[in-house]
Amino acid sequence: MLVALLAGALAGAGLAAPPAAGAAGRAAPVAPEAPEARAVAAGVGYRVLDKASPRGTARVHLLSVDLSDARVSVELLYPGAVAARAPLSALADGAGAVAAVNGDFFHLSEAQHPGVPATGAPVGPAVAGGRALKAAVPRGQRFGPALPPGANTRMVLGVDGEGRARLGELALSGEVRGPDGPLALGGLNQYALPVGSVGVFTRDWGSVSRLRATCGTDTDRAAPCSAETYEVRVRGGRVAAVADAPGAGAIPADTQVLVGREAGARWLRALAVGDPVEVRYGLVPVGAAPGVVFRSAVGGYPVLRGGQPLPGMDGVTAAVRSAAGVADEGRRLLLLALDGGPGFRSGLTVVELAGLLRELGASDGVNLDGGGSSTLVARTDGAAAVRVLNHPSGGAERAVPNGIGVFVRP
């Protein structure tokens, strides 16, 4: 059962102060007349809910976004590069968002390959302003809970060209064409490339080393880095430079960097400085109706489709989580983050999260990154900047690679 709570007065640090909890961690009784919601801005409401579980009470911080309001829009927040991170509040304020929740799982650490830097890049596809930023890593290279049967790393939560929220799947479509013909691209600005492939890195990647893209395999993230790699720098449609190993540093706007491993590396080695090279790429919706495009999209772990929880999900492991749900045929978007405060850290399983989204009216939903990343921010009481409204489980905001930002035009 869900119990609505007053969003409450905000503490000086910008956190929603929770009601006192009993010795067993249960929330104190709430007066029936407590309001269920408060407005953040036109078309955007915020409320706090308690969700009972066998382990105790999970506190839910929820944003309801009315996408049927022409003034309201949703966009991907990111720090200007795929391989970069920043606190969600900084991302939201920098873009002028009135509210936001953290986004995709990401490459936080790299203990398996000493000397190889972590990239901070997200797992799934990303689209911002209708532009493809990155494609999905291979299944065995992802982070997050085990995927349910039939799901893959290409799954996204996004907003289409008509401004409606939807779940979907975005696959990379592209090729690199050299003097000897074309080769299908295996990656776009991603921290892990499929074995034997060539991936393209653009200015959207950032300045972080591209070496990690050639480590691990499609089924084993901890497998050794490839012993056979090659990198080709393309400028103005021609090979400008080559190297035996992936490099680092910012990529100019007029330049594309091709990184190959195994068979892909051998294909690139056939290119010489001055050779003409054409690179094309895009993210294509899989199984969508003709004409569907994603104006913005973030990778997500699907938990609810057509009002039903996906089969085969973990019903045992509980955690502090973030999620997004699609309601009213895409005209309403639900964004939530669980509270990571001491009285509520028991969290929810992904099965319970799917049930919660369904109770809230969602037909489709995704689990976003959780734990110390789980963060929800919003402007309140006419403030010019957002505040963190849940208690992050690490005690402070974690820098994240992206988030779902809510915008309201005057």
Side-chain angles (χ1 to χ4, degrees), residues 19-269:
R26 293 187 297 273
V30 181
E33 65 270 22
E36 289 192 6
R38 64 191 298 179
V40 171
V44 184
Y46 166 66
R47 57 176 169 155
V48 181
L49 308 167
D50 272 359
K51 174 68 175 177
S53 79
R55 298 163 306 280
T57 299
R59 176 145 294 162
V60 183
H61 297 260
L62 174 67
L63 293 167
S64 180
V65 182
D66 182 5
L67 294 176
S68 67
D69 188 324
R71 297 167 293 180
V72 179
S73 62
V74 171
E75 300 290 345
L76 182 77
L77 299 177
Y78 73 108
V82 167
R85 298 192 292 142
L88 182 67
S89 58
L91 295 177
D93 283 338
V98 301
V101 72
N102 66 287
D104 199 0
F105 294 88
F106 63 96
H107 182 210
L108 177 61
S109 62
E110 190 51 51
Q112 300 97 336
H113 305 101
V116 177
T119 65
V123 167
V127 176
R131 190 164 58 88
L133 296 180
K134 72 172 299 289
V137 302
R139 186 184 184 110
Q141 295 268 16
R142 63 179 294 275
F143 295 86
L147 288 170
N152 58 59
T153 56
R154 300 190 298 268
M155 309 300 291
V156 296
L157 179 285
V159 175
D160 63 22
E162 296 181 351
R164 292 195 178 191
R166 62 166 58 233
L167 264 61
E169 180 180 341
L170 290 175
L172 175 64
S173 175
E175 67 176 19
V176 53
R177 182 177 290 273
D180 295 331
L183 178 73
L185 275 178
L188 167 65
N189 291 329
Q190 55 201 64
Y191 67 78
L193 293 173
V195 171
S197 73
V198 170
V200 61
F201 290 80
T202 72
R203 67 179 301 180
D204 291 323
W205 171 253
S207 60
V208 174
S209 170
R210 299 173 288 275
L211 179 59
R212 177 58 184 81
T214 59
C215 297
T217 67
D218 300 357
T219 57
D220 183 3
R221 194 173 66 217
C225 297
S226 175
E228 190 175 10
T229 64
Y230 205 66
E231 182 171 280
V232 170
R233 186 171 290 257
V234 178
R235 182 181 302 115
R238 293 190 177 272
V239 175
V242 298
D244 287 328
I251 301 172
D254 65 346
T255 300
Q256 298 162 318
V257 176
L258 300 172
V259 174
R261 55 179 300 176
E262 298 89 32
R266 294 190 292 273
W267 193 92
L268 290 178
R269 283 183 184 275

Side-chain angles (χ1 to χ4, degrees), residues 5-28:
L5 298 178
L6 174 64
L10 296 178
L15 300 178
R26 293 187 297 273

